[in-house]
Amino acid sequence: MILLKEIFERSFDFAKSSGNKKEKIKIVNDLKSEEHNHKRTRSAIKFYMHSLKEGKVNKNYKIVEVKGEEKVVRRFYELGIFSGQKIIILNKSPLKKVFLVEIRGYVLSIKSSLLGEVMVV
Amino acid sequence: MEEILLVGNPNAGKTTFYNSLVKANEHVGNWHGVTVEEKKKEFTLNGEKFVLVDTPGIYSLSPLSFEEEVSVKLIESSNSKIVNICDLNNLQRNLYLTLCLIETGRDVCVVLNEIDKRQKYKVDKNSLEKFLGVKVLSLNAEKNFEEYKNMSFFNKNTLNYLKKVDFSCVFPYFSNLDNKNIFCIKAFERDKSFFLRHNYDEKKIEEIFSKLPKNSMEIMAKARYDFIDEVISSSCLKHDFVYGKSNLDKILLNKYLAFPCFLVILAIIFYLTFFSLGAFLSDALSSLLNIVTTPISNFLFEHLGDSFIFHLFNDAVFGGVATVLSFLPQVVLLFFFLSLLEDSGYLSRVAFIFEDILGKVGLSGKSVYTLLMGFGCSTTAIMTARNMDNKNSKIKTALVCPYMSCSAKIPIYAVVGGAFFGTSNIFVIIGLYLLGVLVAITISKLLDMTLLKTNNQTFILEFPPYRHMSLKRTGKVLLENSKHFLVKVGSIMLSMNVIVFLLSSFSFSFSYCPDGTGSMLQTIGKFIAPIFVPLGFNNWAVVSALLAGLVAREVVVSSIAMFNGIDSSATRLISESLLLPTSVVYFSSNASVLSFLVFSLLYVPCIASVSMLIQEVGKKWTIVGVIIELVTAYVVSFIVFNIAFAIEIFGWTFVLILLAFVFILLSLIFIYRFIKRKKCPFNCKNCQKKCKK
């Protein structure tokens, strides 16, 4: 819920200019669902999303998009890393090339260049 | 006979289950990638005979690394029954593989393995059975597995999430086949290798894939995971702890403390095996062997006299074999500590720490396991190189593994090094181990730059929780390793010693020469010895010992003992005999001893390792590897001999001046490259170093 709150506040700034009450209610309802169909929420997410490689330790993130090489993306989907999941970075290696990541209740270590294609908010 | 396959995620407990059902003793560890090949044995289930097959761990039916290909090929090749073993602590991910297996329509039985006492999920088996349509059992694979007799194999095909996915775009291609569902699902997963295995053209595969929606893989995975969430929320109670996270990781994976902790642990293992505990047990064993063998040899001397048969028994059997036997405690202790490391789960953390360094050299973090096991025995370690997904890095790990000084070279360091260096042997042994690691890293870097380039390497590794080894398993490990060592000594060591004795007591005209002068081995040794003149040791006995060491490294020490006429197992006596000026095995100076030790560390590994290399990597790369090893052994021992000889003649100040000179040279090169580097004119805020300018 903390993630949703942040996205809500940011997209609320976006939607401030509209001034239309009905549109604000639409955005709020759209945020609470998982799908993000409304145009303003999608543009807010596109503006604020960044790759997991630039993330900070011990901060809650939510995955928005997973890209990359085919075999890597397939292995991510099998492990449960797809859009809509919560992910936390636990640790970074000394040279910052490998990340320790917690997802779906277990711990994985993944190379950070593979995580450069995973977009989070 | 019918086969039953054991399938499941890595580190779920398949091999423990196999060991307890079939009463075997396969290798087990808390690491992803211990089992790398299939193992078969017969067993009876409720009166019927089956063959139980143990496979490597997989995550789904599309493989990524070489070991996963082995199990996927096994599953697809025959229509046998499947037992799926799931880890209760990690049910969500394990159920993904279960769903993949049930979709194929085969007979499956699900076994839930309760590994730790503190469980994450409490499962209602009846509702799970209703959802999945297969039989579900729960047991503990190591201690309490009596429930396996209730295993039954059926498949009711009640998975209803498949109806929600729209297969109509690819359905017409497979409508005339028997199992259309599997092909449609695999098309949605974009699994090219599956279609290639079933003899489809590449053009047709591209045609089929072009009809799919863009995010077809995501649709399949989401459908399965939504079903899993539904199943778990309705049939399981969940506790809130994260599997694999522990408080020890705050110390062991800290930015500054990670390396020192690892070095401290290695130093403790090293000290315990070589010096305090290992040396004590080794001395005790050698004195025990002395007590046993001296009356027997006296008895033989009375009855046989100073004849050829007496020398055969005295020198070859008692002298040679007994020396090697007295090293049994140290070898077994080394293997014991390595298996302790394996079982605790610390190796995944080591792989995490070393991945970014080894990645620059061309290896991967997963090769840490192979290299650490190479300290024990490189034959078994080379086989575990299969857990990598990139072919070139697998070849490099396998070729580089023999440089890690294996346990068979311990007798050489202890006997020969102990003779000439006395108490400062500690530093020599540490230096030799470090030299082996350095040479391994440089050679893999050289191979990475020229012949075997690695482009895209993935590293995805799970972290298991920390576990301790049970008492039962410690006993098993110690017994197994001692048995293995004794069998090796009794078979290979004995026969090689007899052969070397015969070759060194008979000349080419088959006349007996008791001293070894004029024998076959001496002529061969003298023929080859001039090659080793730049390395400092051109004695025929040393050279023939090295030749005999090609079969197994311990033979070097036993042949040295035989040439010098030692007939007891006390290593002290052998060391003292090497120092006498009349010894047959003669070293001209301490420098030549050092270069001999370095050469015996680096040259071609024993025949068992070479045959395993041929099996894993192929003939072409083994030949390349063997040539590289010979060349590096020659070059490095040449350098070592010259530096050590220079120290002996000129003293330590010479070496310090030389080292300072080399240091200044290297820093000048570094400064030159630093000045001449190309600076990036664009100062981007989030520089990801991706632009090619």
Side-chain angles (χ1 to χ4, degrees):
Chain A
M1 289 312 286
I2 306 175
L3 283 168
L4 286 177
K5 235 189 186 176
E6 283 185 20
I7 301 175
F8 169 60
E9 284 167 20
R10 290 172 191 165
S11 102
F12 194 65
D13 293 338
F14 261 55
K16 234 186 202 175
S17 53
S18 64
N20 197 348
K21 217 183 187 183
K22 280 190 184 174
E23 194 156 334
K24 285 181 196 169
I25 294 174
K26 264 193 201 172
I27 293 175
V28 168
N29 286 335
D30 187 51
L31 279 173
K32 286 185 184 170
S33 76
E34 289 276 328
E35 300 265 330
H36 305 306
N37 280 325
H38 198 274
K39 199 173 157 189
R40 291 236 190 252
T41 47
R42 266 188 293 168
S43 49
I45 287 173
K46 267 197 182 168
F47 185 75
Y48 281 103
M49 78 178 181
H50 58 278
S51 79
L52 191 55
K53 205 173 166 185
E54 303 148 5
K56 293 186 187 171
V57 183
N58 282 329
K59 197 172 171 189
N60 283 318
Y61 288 108
K62 183 172 166 183
I63 301 180
V64 171
E65 204 184 340
V66 175
K67 288 185 292 190
E69 215 187 312
E70 214 184 283
K71 58 175 186 176
V72 172
V73 169
R74 193 185 304 133
R75 184 43 61 99
F76 278 163
Y77 287 148
E78 290 164 10
L79 291 173
I81 304 176
F82 43 80
S83 60
Q85 293 294 315
K86 289 186 189 164
I87 193 168
I88 306 177
I89 300 182
L90 290 178
N91 224 325
K92 292 187 185 179
S93 80
L95 290 181
K96 302 208 177 171
K97 298 225 168 152
V98 189
F99 285 3
L100 243 192
V101 147
E102 178 197 326
I103 187 160
R104 279 190 154 250
Y106 67 96
V107 172
L108 270 182
S109 65
I110 308 182
K111 207 167 172 184
S112 64
S113 59
L114 304 174
L115 289 177
E117 316 278 339
V118 172
M119 301 298 181
V120 295
V121 170
Chain B
M1 245 183 299
E2 269 201 70
E3 286 188 350
I4 296 184
L5 298 176
L6 280 177
V7 176
N9 270 2
N11 209 9
K14 304 182 285 297
T15 314
T16 355
F17 195 53
Y18 174 83
N19 280 345
S20 40
L21 279 190
V22 177
K23 299 199 175 115
N25 216 342
E26 301 298 337
H27 195 51
V28 171
N30 196 359
W31 164 263
H32 163 188
V34 177
T35 315
V36 278
E37 59 172 5
E38 48 168 292
K39 307 255 161 73
K40 292 186 186 178
K41 215 171 178 188
E42 281 185 25
F43 88 120
T44 52
L45 174 69
N46 297 332
E48 284 184 47
K49 279 199 177 180
F50 291 102
V51 171
L52 193 62
V53 182
D54 183 25
T55 62
I58 49 176
Y59 285 109
S60 84
L61 288 177
S62 15
L64 187 66
S65 62
F66 294 99
E67 50 163 24
E68 297 179 9
E69 280 179 22
V70 172
S71 25
V72 170
K73 275 182 191 167
L74 262 183
I75 293 174
E76 287 184 356
S77 60
S78 62
N79 204 7
S80 42
K81 306 182 179 176
I82 295 180
V83 171
N84 186 13
I85 298 192
C86 298
D87 188 357
L88 251 193
N89 282 324
N90 216 343
L91 246 192
Q92 285 184 342
R93 201 187 64 214
N94 291 26
L95 281 181
Y96 190 88
L97 176 63
T98 322
L99 292 181
C100 287
L101 289 172
I102 296 176
E103 281 164 7
T104 57
R106 295 163 69 150
D107 299 332
V108 181
C109 173
V110 173
V111 169
L112 304 172
N113 191 7
E114 307 161 357
I115 300 184
D116 299 321
K117 284 182 192 169
R118 182 175 161 223
Q119 293 304 314
K120 189 168 180 182
Y121 294 99
K122 273 190 188 172
V123 174
D124 182 15
K125 279 184 252 177
N126 290 323
S127 60
L128 250 190
E129 284 188 21
K130 267 191 224 166
F131 269 110
L132 295 176
V134 289
K135 173 95 183 176
V136 174
L137 297 170
S138 99
L139 44 84
N140 187 335
E142 196 177 354
K143 296 170 187 170
N144 191 9
F145 53 91
E146 287 303 314
E147 267 202 52
Y148 77 94
K149 297 171 185 164
N150 297 335
M151 281 202 291
S152 57
F153 302 93
F154 52 83
N155 194 346
K156 292 181 186 164
N157 285 319
T158 58
L159 298 176
N160 50 7
Y161 67 87
L162 285 176
K163 298 172 192 166
K164 297 180 191 169
V165 183
D166 187 19
F167 287 117
S168 55
C169 36
V170 278
F171 196 76
Y173 285 101
F174 309 116
S175 50
N176 55 345
L177 293 168
D178 268 345
N179 37 5
K180 345 170 190 176
N181 273 335
I182 308 175
F183 281 83
C184 295
I185 293 171
K186 285 289 178 182
F188 253 69
E189 283 184 358
R190 293 177 187 255
D191 196 355
K192 220 179 179 183
S193 55
F194 177 80
F195 288 101
L196 287 172
R197 263 177 274 155
H198 286 260
N199 306 321
Y200 273 72
D201 280 342
E202 282 216 25
K203 276 187 186 174
K204 200 163 188 197
I205 297 176
E206 276 184 36
E207 200 191 315
I208 298 176
F209 282 1
S210 61
K211 303 274 172 97
L212 294 168
K214 232 184 180 181
N215 55 348
S216 57
M217 282 201 275
E218 203 175 342
I219 296 176
M220 276 310 302
K222 273 193 176 170
R224 286 177 181 146
Y225 266 108
D226 286 339
F227 184 69
I228 290 176
D229 286 337
E230 211 187 297
V231 166
I232 285 184
S233 60
S234 66
S235 63
C236 306
L237 282 175
K238 194 171 109 164
H239 294 283
D240 236 357
F241 65 90
V242 181
Y243 178 73
K245 190 175 175 183
S246 90
N247 287 329
L248 266 181
D249 280 342
K250 287 182 190 167
I251 309 174
L252 289 175
L253 289 183
N254 195 4
K255 224 173 24 170
Y256 305 108
L257 291 179
F259 271 117
C261 281
F262 177 65
L263 290 175
V264 161
I265 289 176
L266 271 190
I268 292 175
I269 292 177
F270 191 78
Y271 180 70
L272 282 177
T273 48
F274 278 91
F275 298 106
S276 65
L277 193 59
F280 170 71
L281 286 173
S282 174
D283 283 338
L285 189 61
S286 69
S287 38
L288 191 80
L289 282 172
N290 253 342
I291 296 173
V292 168
T293 57
T294 33
I296 299 180
S297 66
N298 287 336
F299 175 76
L300 283 175
F301 188 67
E302 284 172 17
H303 287 257
L304 293 173
D306 194 15
S307 67
F308 152 71
I309 301 181
F310 168 71
H311 274 288
L312 179 73
F313 273 104
N314 202 16
D315 295 349
V317 177
F318 290 147
V321 174
T323 43
V324 181
L325 259 186
S326 65
F327 284 101
L328 170 79
Q330 287 170 327
V331 170
V332 168
L333 264 182
L334 186 65
F335 277 105
F336 169 68
F337 282 123
L338 285 176
S339 60
L340 256 189
L341 262 188
E342 250 187 311
D343 272 2
S344 66
Y346 181 56
L347 281 179
S348 319
R349 276 83 180 168
V350 173
F352 173 79
I353 296 171
F354 278 98
E355 157 67 26
D356 39 6
I357 298 177
L358 288 180
K360 289 193 176 179
V361 177
L363 303 171
S364 148
K366 286 187 184 172
S367 53
V368 160
Y369 181 68
T370 318
L371 297 177
L372 270 184
M373 291 298 128
F375 279 123
C377 177
S378 51
T379 319
T380 47
I382 287 173
M383 188 135 87
T384 62
R386 275 189 212 180
N387 61 356
M388 272 178 259
D389 55 335
N390 195 351
K391 195 174 181 189
N392 284 342
S393 56
K394 170 188 164 191
I395 297 175
K396 265 184 282 190
T397 334
L399 287 182
V400 149
C401 184
Y403 289 112
M404 304 283 157
S405 146
C406 74
S407 61
K409 299 173 190 168
I410 296 177
I412 309 178
Y413 306 151
V415 168
V416 176
F420 289 92
F421 295 114
T423 47
S424 53
N425 202 13
I426 302 179
F427 301 110
V428 174
I429 295 183
I430 293 178
L432 282 170
Y433 271 82
L434 282 179
L435 184 71
V437 173
L438 271 179
V439 170
I441 290 179
T442 39
I443 286 194
S444 73
K445 177 74 180 173
L446 281 175
L447 280 175
D448 186 37
M449 291 199 292
T450 53
L451 294 173
L452 293 163
K453 296 187 182 167
T454 49
N455 292 327
N456 40 2
Q457 217 185 127
T458 59
F459 177 73
I460 302 178
L461 188 66
E462 268 179 65
F463 266 34
Y466 284 108
R467 292 186 189 135
H468 61 273
M469 205 153 79
S470 59
L471 274 178
K472 197 169 146 191
R473 197 165 129 62
T474 41
K476 266 190 190 176
V477 163
L478 287 172
L479 269 179
E480 179 78 15
N481 282 318
S482 341
K483 201 173 77 174
H484 192 72
F485 185 76
L486 286 173
V487 162
K488 189 179 178 191
V489 166
S491 58
I492 298 180
M493 233 42 67
L494 193 59
S495 41
M496 271 309 289
N497 270 327
V498 168
I499 291 174
V500 171
F501 174 75
L502 288 175
L503 280 178
S504 71
S505 337
F506 287 99
S507 66
F508 279 109
S509 49
F510 292 108
S511 61
Y512 178 63
C513 20
D515 263 346
T517 49
S519 59
M520 285 192 266
L521 206 61
Q522 193 182 32
T523 40
I524 297 174
K526 279 190 176 167
F527 184 67
I528 299 182
I531 301 178
F532 293 99
V533 166
L535 303 185
F537 49 93
N538 57 345
N539 186 11
W540 69 269
V542 176
V543 173
S544 35
L546 281 177
L547 266 181
L550 278 177
V551 175
R553 278 293 204 278
E554 295 99 329
V555 179
V556 174
V557 167
S558 49
S559 42
I560 287 179
M562 219 162 30
F563 292 141
N564 273 0
I566 307 290
D567 60 348
S568 70
S569 69
T571 53
R572 239 179 315 117
L573 282 179
I574 306 176
S575 310
E576 283 167 15
S577 79
L578 279 171
L579 289 170
L580 294 172
T582 56
S583 88
V584 178
V585 181
Y586 174 70
F587 290 104
S588 54
S589 58
N590 277 357
S592 65
V593 173
L594 257 185
S595 76
F596 166 71
L597 288 176
V598 168
F599 193 81
S600 68
L601 161 73
L602 292 177
Y603 83 118
V604 183
C606 59
I607 285 187
S609 314
V610 174
S611 64
M612 179 62 75
L613 266 181
I614 292 180
Q615 199 184 352
E616 285 292 307
V617 165
K619 269 190 191 171
K620 176 185 159 197
W621 289 110
T622 18
I623 294 175
V624 168
V626 164
I627 292 175
I628 290 179
E629 281 180 53
L630 283 171
V631 167
T632 42
Y634 200 82
V635 166
V636 174
S637 49
F638 178 71
I639 295 174
V640 166
F641 172 66
N642 282 319
I643 293 181
F645 200 58
I647 294 177
E648 278 187 18
I649 295 182
F650 297 116
W652 277 102
T653 49
F654 175 80
V655 174
L656 285 175
I657 294 173
L658 195 73
L659 280 176
F661 186 67
V662 167
F663 181 69
I664 291 173
L665 239 181
L666 283 175
S667 49
L668 278 176
I669 295 175
F670 186 68
I671 292 171
Y672 177 76
R673 286 180 82 177
F674 187 73
I675 292 175
K676 286 269 178 175
R677 81 187 192 287
K678 293 178 189 168
K679 283 190 191 172
C680 174
F682 311 95
N683 280 325
C684 321
K685 205 178 178 185
N686 298 330
C687 176
Q688 292 185 0
K689 294 184 183 170
K690 270 190 179 176
C691 51
K692 294 176 185 174
K693 287 169 190 168

